[in-house]
Amino acid sequence: MAQLTGVIQSVSPEEIQVLVSDASEEACGACALYDSCMSSGKKDQSGKENGEKQDRSARIVTVYDFPIGLCPGDNVTLEEAPRLRLKGALYAFIIPLAVLVFAAVLLSRSGATDGVIAGVLTGLLLLYGLVLRLMRDRLKKILYYKISSVASEGDRIC
């Protein structure tokens, strides 16, 4: 299981935003999907939005499983869910690819034209995206990071 270290940026009752500065060691800096990745962050250190060019050595990770009493500025170590990367690849690439290949073979054997096949496959992709959007709360419980250790600077009151 990979571990990331970062600094807590904000704390709310439901979630904590952690700035992970060693993301390049986890290959985020070289990833072609960095700009569209949900875990690549909403803002970097300079406050730039996703649409602007971001520093690829830092990203914001949202944590939903955390101990009570954490404050912004605390240094934390994040631990990823078991098989997080495999599950992420499964939901993002493997399932939609398998559905598309199966549907394309089934439609071509039934004698559908290329235009019909393309339309159905596009519809299936849109439907799959909608299903993922509706399942986002369930996916948060499957694809997650949790805080495994905290190194706060002195005794602080939040």
Side-chain angles (χ1 to χ4, degrees):
M1 231 182 284
Q3 291 187 340
L4 304 171
T5 57
V7 179
I8 295 177
Q9 297 295 300
S10 66
V11 178
S12 72
E14 299 86 28
E15 65 185 37
I16 290 180
Q17 302 286 325
V18 178
L19 177 66
V20 178
S21 59
D22 59 353
S24 61
E25 295 174 15
E26 293 294 317
C28 289
C31 182
L33 298 174
Y34 177 84
D35 294 327
S36 61
C37 182
M38 294 301 290
S39 70
S40 65
K42 297 177 180 96
K43 292 184 179 181
D44 66 2
Q45 295 163 312
S46 62
K48 295 177 183 174
E49 296 291 335
N50 267 339
E52 301 176 34
K53 187 169 177 141
Q54 293 187 8
D55 176 14
R56 289 184 177 228
S57 66
R59 64 184 171 133
I60 298 286
V61 174
T62 303
V63 179
Y64 300 98
D65 183 14
F66 55 90
I68 297 173
L70 296 175
C71 302
D74 286 347
N75 293 317
V76 294
T77 302
L78 301 178
E79 186 176 293
E80 64 183 32
R83 299 186 181 129
L84 173 76
R85 296 173 191 190
L86 179 62
K87 291 175 186 176
L90 181 72
Y91 286 110
F93 302 110
I94 298 170
I95 291 174
L97 180 64
V99 168
L100 292 179
V101 168
F102 177 75
V105 168
L106 186 67
L107 288 169
S108 67
R109 286 192 177 174
S110 70
T113 64
D114 290 344
V116 171
I117 293 173
V120 169
L121 296 183
T122 302
L124 284 174
L125 277 179
L126 292 173
L127 181 63
Y128 184 73
L130 178 64
V131 168
L132 285 181
R133 179 77 175 160
L134 294 173
M135 288 180 48
R136 69 180 174 264
D137 290 333
R138 177 165 160 66
L139 290 174
K140 286 179 186 177
K141 295 176 183 174
I142 297 171
L143 307 171
Y144 65 89
Y145 284 95
K146 68 178 184 176
I147 295 178
S148 62
S149 66
V150 179
S152 62
E153 297 175 11
D155 294 326
R156 297 190 325 219
I157 299 175
C158 298

